[in-house]
Amino acid sequence: MKLSEAFYLATVANGRFFAEQGMGACGSFDAGMSFDALHIITDAPASAALTAENQLERFLYNGDDRQIQGRILAGELLK
C-alpha cells in the first residue's frame, strides 16, 4: 500500500466513518470539517531536499514526540 493510500484511509475514510456514526465531521479540509493537526518540526536542512510526502513518510517511520511542536484539536491549540 502506498503512503498516500494509507494516509487517505487514516484521515478522510475514518472521518467519513465517524460522521456516519454521528460523531462529527472530520478528516479533510472541506468547509465545515473539524480541524485536527500536528505541528511537526523536521530536521532541516536534511529534510529541505525532500518533498512534503517524503517528509511525512520520514516522520511516520522514524519520528517521535520530540518532533511534535503543537497539537490542534477541533481548531484549538492544545497546551
Side-chain angles (χ1 to χ4, degrees):
M1 175 180 294
K2 294 180 190 177
L3 174 66
S4 59
E5 295 169 330
F7 194 73
Y8 174 84
L9 290 174
T11 57
V12 178
N14 276 329
R16 286 186 184 151
F17 170 79
F18 287 116
E20 290 170 1
Q21 304 304 312
M23 298 179 184
C26 62
S28 74
F29 290 118
D30 295 333
M33 295 288 185
S34 176
F35 182 70
D36 302 335
L38 294 176
H39 180 197
I40 299 167
I41 302 299
T42 60
D43 54 345
S47 296
L50 300 175
T51 66
E53 184 175 355
N54 290 139
Q55 289 182 38
L56 173 61
E57 185 174 32
R58 185 180 209 172
F59 172 74
L60 292 174
Y61 286 113
N62 298 320
D64 61 40
D65 61 335
R66 294 173 293 180
Q67 291 175 276
I68 300 173
Q69 184 168 1
R71 293 167 174 84
I72 300 169
L73 180 62
E76 299 286 328
L77 182 63
L78 301 178
K79 302 210 186 271

